Amino acid sequence: MTIQMMKPKLIYLPEPKLTFGYNQKMEDPRDGLTLFGPYSKDQYFGQINIGIVGPKKQREYAIEYLKSLHKPIVSQEKDIARPFFPGLEAAFGIFINFSAVQQIDIDINKINEFLKYTDSHQRVFNLSNLYAEALVKFTNEEEAPVSVWFVVIPDDIYKYSRPKSKITKSADNIRIGLSTKDRRLGMQFLFEELNELKEAYEFEVNFHNQLKAKLLSDKIVTQILRESTIAYKSIWKDAEKIEYETMFDTAKAWNISTTLYYKCGGIPWKLDEVRKSVCYLGLVYKKVDQNESNKNACCAAQMFLDSGDGMVFRGNIGPWYNPKSKEFHIGKEDARELLSMSLEAFRTKSMTNEYPGEVFIHAKTYFDDEEWDGFLEAAEGKSKIFGIRIRHDSSFKLYRDFSYCVPRGAALIYTETLAYLWTKGFIPRLQTQAGSETPNSLSIEITRGVHNIETVCKDVLSLSKLNYNACIFADGSPVTLEFAESIGEILTAGRNIKSDILPFKHYV
């Protein structure tokens, strides 16, 4: 492809609007939800059934907090960037049936016992199993409908169940586990209890990722809550710390309520100016072994429809990682298979039963010839495809000599295939900037196919407003790449994680 040189130009892309109830348009999700309700208000409304799993005290915290979401929550200080929360039913048209909340008790004594395990693999594996096994058992044995399970955890689970976490030395710590030598795959012990210990080393040391991964095959939708997130006033003693945390009460309410509505099946908002019959695909890669010389990695794709909803497709594990270039590239057949699954899923969900007219494949690296040939084979006779490389770029800064930093939406069109887009910056609606530092840009490059670079930048700016896991003005990355790392970690949290093509809500 010949690149025609052009004089670089700095332009401003207007803030993309979102569509809410009654087909009304607003820039800020919180404004739109407050005034008009969610986009799918006519399809998803009324009573919802939830479940809560956790120890007794933590479940009580959750119920008290969820009841508070049905009332308005107002910040103590007036701040245009932190608007008040009008209440769950007022904003989303849904309400929780508290007389039918399903509850599963998790033995706090068991949690405290596992928290004493000095081996982090054994500690996290057993803690996540406590919750996962209880949820799977309920799903298989009970008939009560539950749309979303709130998984409420003590703060110590969060503190001591993350990578590199270590418990405090104590006389009552429990030493259990296997030596590095005995953890080797394929080794079998005479005693079955030792073989059972080995399974923990097949999982990543991360409670969140392990739990999500263990529930994929049973299609159980969860929202994990830390006790201090929802009950800090009951737990903390530091008055100054409590006062500071109240600043975020409205933000928490917006985020948790938006996530709840989305995970129940609703669409909170939809992009206004997204072009019809367009599909956006974000590639996800994650090494299955942190050894730098090991090339094996898992590949997956996040597909986002013009409706705003998303699906995750898991590909195969293979030698996709190149230790020299530190880049990931899948083989031709795997690329063909991954895109074929995405196109068929789009057609199934399409109202017209047609393939998308255009597919934009977003990645952080360039596409090599082999994988692109696979994509082309899958799309032949169905869709036009374009390869877009998107990276955070700190090679230069853009300043203006008055007031705040450059506005969000500023774009430097460098060539017909390369542009720098500021997805963070001054936001007129909020009268402030996102973050306190001078923002960096995204480097956006059309590496495969021919398309208008300004249109591609507009798409990326719009896709930075599709995060249903939070209710904020916008993210700094398009949703196609925002969750790529976390999805990859869930898919590789264990060695034999099984998952079908699932909606995006199972991963967040």
Side-chain angles (χ1 to χ4, degrees):
M1 179 175 64
T2 302
I3 299 177
Q4 297 182 15
M5 297 305 295
M6 59 178 288
K7 185 178 180 180
K9 61 178 180 179
L10 184 63
I11 63 173
Y12 173 73
L13 302 176
E15 185 61 46
K17 290 188 176 182
L18 305 171
T19 305
F20 299 91
Y22 307 108
N23 205 36
Q24 297 297 305
K25 325 290 184 183
M26 300 292 288
E27 290 183 1
D28 192 318
R30 297 159 297 189
D31 292 342
L33 291 168
T34 300
L35 294 172
F36 310 112
Y39 174 76
S40 60
K41 63 179 299 177
D42 294 333
Q43 290 81 40
Y44 294 92
F45 61 91
Q47 174 181 297
I48 60 171
N49 296 313
I50 66 161
I52 303 176
V53 55
K56 183 176 184 295
K57 182 168 66 174
Q58 282 70 26
R59 297 199 314 275
E60 291 173 349
Y61 288 152
I63 289 176
E64 182 180 358
Y65 179 77
L66 291 171
K67 285 183 176 179
S68 75
L69 291 182
H70 289 71
K71 303 174 184 178
I73 299 176
V74 182
S75 297
Q76 293 183 357
E77 297 182 7
K78 290 186 177 181
D79 187 342
I80 194 173
R82 293 190 176 96
F84 85 102
F85 177 69
L88 183 63
E89 189 170 4
F92 294 91
I94 60 173
F95 61 92
I96 296 172
N97 180 7
F98 286 101
S99 63
V101 172
Q102 301 300 312
Q103 297 194 48
I104 301 176
D105 181 59
I106 301 297
D107 189 345
I108 189 63
N109 295 316
K110 276 290 185 183
I111 290 177
N112 291 333
E113 176 187 345
F114 294 143
L115 284 171
K116 295 177 183 178
Y117 282 13
T118 56
D119 187 309
S120 58
H121 283 89
Q122 298 296 334
R123 181 170 65 250
V124 178
F125 179 76
N126 282 280
L127 285 169
S128 62
N129 271 355
L130 268 181
Y131 285 85
E133 290 174 355
L135 284 167
V136 172
K137 183 176 186 293
F138 182 97
T139 302
N140 292 335
E141 297 179 359
E142 304 293 335
E143 296 183 356
V146 175
S147 298
V148 179
W149 282 96
F150 284 95
V151 177
V152 197
I153 62 172
D155 277 13
D156 280 348
I157 288 184
Y158 174 80
K159 185 177 180 180
Y160 297 117
S161 297
R162 294 182 293 168
K164 300 181 180 179
S165 60
K166 295 181 179 180
I167 62 173
T168 305
K169 290 184 178 180
S170 174
D172 61 351
N173 284 352
I174 300 173
R175 300 184 65 85
I176 186 172
L178 300 176
S179 67
T180 303
K181 179 181 178 181
D182 290 339
R183 299 175 190 177
R184 290 178 298 177
L185 292 176
M187 177 178 287
Q188 292 295 314
F189 295 98
L190 179 62
F191 299 104
E192 188 57 32
E193 56 265 29
L194 293 178
N195 288 320
E196 291 175 358
L197 288 176
K198 285 190 62 178
E199 187 179 0
Y201 303 102
E202 298 179 0
F203 286 84
E204 175 192 7
V205 180
N206 187 304
F207 177 87
H208 174 277
N209 294 345
Q210 276 200 37
L211 181 63
K212 293 282 185 178
K214 290 173 179 177
L215 299 176
L216 287 177
S217 60
D218 291 280
K219 302 179 182 180
I220 299 172
V221 180
T222 59
Q223 178 66 22
I224 300 175
L225 294 176
R226 290 167 54 190
E227 61 179 357
S228 62
T229 298
I230 57 177
Y232 65 91
K233 291 180 181 178
S234 301
I235 298 171
W236 296 347
K237 304 299 181 184
D238 188 329
E240 186 175 334
K241 186 179 179 181
I242 291 174
E243 183 180 2
Y244 176 79
E245 190 67 16
T246 59
M247 292 172 53
F248 307 102
D249 282 351
T250 56
K252 291 177 187 177
W254 277 116
N255 292 345
I256 292 172
S257 298
T258 300
T259 302
L260 174 59
Y261 183 77
Y262 170 59
K263 291 184 177 181
C264 283
I267 300 294
W269 57 83
K270 179 181 177 181
L271 294 177
D272 176 33
E273 298 179 355
V274 68
R275 289 169 292 117
K276 298 296 181 184
S277 192
V278 174
C279 169
Y280 302 94
L281 207 66
L283 295 187
V284 176
Y285 294 101
K286 181 69 167 62
K287 282 173 58 58
V288 298
D289 189 326
Q290 293 307 307
N291 187 332
E292 184 65 20
S293 62
N294 192 319
K295 298 181 180 181
N296 284 339
C298 175
C299 178
Q302 309 173 72
M303 180 185 73
F304 290 90
L305 313 173
D306 53 11
S307 67
D309 202 4
M311 307 283 288
V312 176
F313 307 83
R314 175 169 178 158
N316 297 321
I317 292 176
W320 315 137
Y321 179 69
N322 186 325
K324 293 183 179 180
S325 66
K326 300 188 183 302
E327 292 186 350
F328 296 90
H329 295 287
I330 54 178
K332 179 178 178 179
E333 182 58 28
D334 289 274
R336 186 196 64 76
E337 182 180 339
L338 198 60
L339 184 55
S340 293
M341 286 192 294
S342 303
L343 293 176
E344 292 302 326
F346 183 97
R347 186 174 70 162
T348 300
K349 285 187 166 288
S350 172
M351 298 292 291
T352 59
N353 196 36
E354 296 178 349
Y355 294 109
E358 295 181 333
V359 179
F360 292 83
I361 305 176
H362 293 176
K364 296 180 180 180
T365 61
Y366 291 106
F367 304 93
D368 67 17
D369 291 339
E370 183 180 358
E371 65 184 337
W372 194 253
D373 285 344
F375 290 141
L376 287 174
E377 280 192 13
E380 186 176 3
K382 300 174 183 176
S383 309
K384 294 180 180 179
I385 61 172
F386 307 90
I388 312 297
R389 179 178 182 257
I390 304 174
R391 297 171 68 96
H392 288 276
D393 195 303
S394 58
S395 59
F396 69 94
K397 300 278 190 180
L398 188 62
Y399 298 90
R400 62 178 182 176
D401 58 4
F402 63 92
S403 185
Y404 289 92
C405 61
V406 296
R408 168 181 150 85
L412 178 63
I413 308 300
Y414 195 70
T415 70
E416 291 187 349
T417 60
L418 175 64
Y420 298 90
L421 173 67
W422 279 263
T423 52
K424 291 184 177 181
F426 179 73
I427 300 172
R429 169 66 187 90
L430 304 182
Q431 289 299 293
T432 188
Q433 68 185 71
S436 58
E437 299 180 354
T438 302
N440 293 321
S441 66
L442 292 180
S443 167
I444 301 174
E445 185 176 2
I446 304 173
T447 60
R448 298 281 180 165
V450 179
H451 213 285
N452 184 288
I453 187 65
E454 289 188 28
T455 299
V456 173
C457 287
K458 289 179 182 178
D459 286 352
V460 171
L461 190 65
S462 294
L463 289 169
S464 70
K465 306 189 76 161
L466 268 188
N467 179 3
Y468 297 147
N469 199 41
C471 193
I472 56 178
F473 190 88
D475 281 313
S477 299
V479 70
T480 45
L481 298 180
E482 178 72 18
F483 296 96
E485 184 174 345
S486 59
I487 287 176
E489 288 177 349
I490 291 171
L491 289 173
T492 58
R495 292 190 181 275
N496 295 302
I497 301 302
K498 295 179 175 60
S499 65
D500 297 326
I501 299 174
L502 292 176
F504 187 61
K505 63 184 179 182
H506 288 269
Y507 294 85
V508 295

